[in-house]
Amino acid sequence: MQFLETDKALRQSRQFGVKPVPVLRPLGWLARGWQDLLRCPGPSLAHGVVLAALGALIFVLARHHFWLLAGAFSGFLLVAPILATGLYVISRDLEHGRTPSLAAIVKAWRPRDGRMVVFGVLLAFAGTGWVMTSASLITGFAGAPIREPADFLRHVVLNDESHLFEIWLAMGAVLAAPMFASTLIAVPLLLDRSDVGVLGAVFTSWRVVMAYPAAVALWAALIMLLTLLGMASLMLGLIVVLPWLGHASWHAYRDLVSSND
């Protein structure tokens, strides 16, 4: 039965072609995402406020337990693609010359066929798994309580003897790389096409990554850089950065995937 589902997902994925893109094309996605943000600032920034508030809530709850905070923020980024669903709707409507509406955004969140729910649950499990792994690694091997950023810097980042920071980064990369490859265009594709299942969307996303790894790597680096800048501004920058990246991600999907049917 599992083989049949995989075979079905492969057939769904083959409905789509992968468009050629130059290495620097992610800069164009950012430019078009910024245009969408300026064309529809109210709903876009409202998404940013909600997402930034979630980030701030994580900080408040874990501010005295930095061993947990470090993993929690990473987990938050893992589930961000599903949280940006409303932003994809806005960009899709703008692309088709429609005025984005609250009703269309709310409709996208309704569990019509369960695909978005399933994908969201899977991402949540992945994010939770990383939070637990990160917390266990830091608390188990740091050699001292990690309660504040200074503790993390002193006992993890600058501890040359344990190499804990390098191990922590490596473990994060092992999880983040396949998750990013799986979600690169999967959520916009699920939103855009009702005839594609979760596994078919993930396979399509992986085909894109394998076809143009350099452009995808640049896109991942830009996402991390802008997100870190947003966090460094006491989360306020995330109000703009997260909707900007959400809109740009829709254009990445539209630029990378074509339909063969």
Side-chain angles (χ1 to χ4, degrees):
M1 185 66 178
Q2 184 177 4
F3 171 78
L4 293 177
E5 290 298 321
T6 302
D7 186 61
K8 178 181 178 182
L10 288 171
R11 291 198 305 272
Q12 291 175 348
S13 180
R14 294 191 189 103
Q15 298 179 59
F16 306 98
V18 179
K19 299 178 183 178
V21 294
V23 174
L24 296 180
R25 183 60 62 84
L27 298 176
W29 302 336
L30 286 177
R32 282 181 279 174
W34 186 255
Q35 291 174 356
D36 286 353
L37 178 59
L38 294 180
R39 291 173 64 189
C40 194
S44 299
L45 294 177
H47 279 78
V49 168
V50 172
L51 294 175
L54 288 175
L57 179 61
I58 292 173
F59 181 81
V60 169
L61 294 177
R63 66 186 184 280
H64 296 308
H65 304 283
F66 199 77
W67 53 268
L68 176 62
L69 186 63
F73 274 128
S74 304
F76 174 70
L77 294 179
L78 289 179
V79 300
I82 201 74
L83 299 177
T85 299
L87 297 165
Y88 307 146
V89 172
I90 293 173
S91 288
R92 181 187 62 182
D93 286 349
L94 290 174
E95 180 182 294
H96 289 91
R98 299 190 295 261
T99 300
S101 65
L102 179 61
I105 294 172
V106 171
K107 183 179 179 181
W109 282 100
R110 292 175 182 169
R112 300 183 302 276
D113 50 21
R115 293 177 305 151
M116 289 293 192
V117 174
V118 170
F119 203 33
V121 169
L122 292 175
L123 291 178
F125 273 121
T128 303
W130 166 242
V131 171
M132 296 175 64
T133 302
S134 172
S136 299
L137 182 67
I138 293 175
T139 56
F141 296 94
I146 307 296
R147 298 189 179 93
E148 306 291 341
D151 297 330
F152 186 81
L153 182 64
R154 184 182 306 112
H155 300 295
V156 178
V157 179
L158 299 180
N159 190 336
D160 295 332
E161 297 180 359
S162 69
H163 301 290
L164 181 57
F165 185 58
E166 291 83 352
I167 296 172
W168 183 75
L169 286 178
M171 289 187 65
V174 167
L175 175 64
M179 288 301 300
F180 180 76
S182 299
T183 59
L184 175 63
I185 55 91
V187 180
L189 178 58
L190 289 172
L191 176 68
D192 196 36
R193 297 288 295 257
S194 61
D195 57 342
V196 180
V198 171
L199 193 56
V202 169
F203 284 166
T204 306
S205 190
W206 272 93
R207 287 175 54 219
V208 169
V209 172
M210 290 186 291
Y212 299 103
V216 170
L218 175 59
W219 180 227
L222 289 171
I223 290 174
M224 288 302 302
L225 175 61
L226 290 172
T227 303
L228 289 174
L229 290 175
M231 289 180 174
S233 60
L234 299 177
M235 304 294 172
L236 294 176
L238 294 180
I239 296 175
V240 174
V241 167
L242 293 179
W244 181 16
L245 291 175
H247 291 311
S249 296
W250 171 263
H251 291 288
Y253 155 66
R254 296 294 288 163
D255 217 18
L256 289 165
V257 176
S258 62
S259 176
N260 291 328
D261 54 13

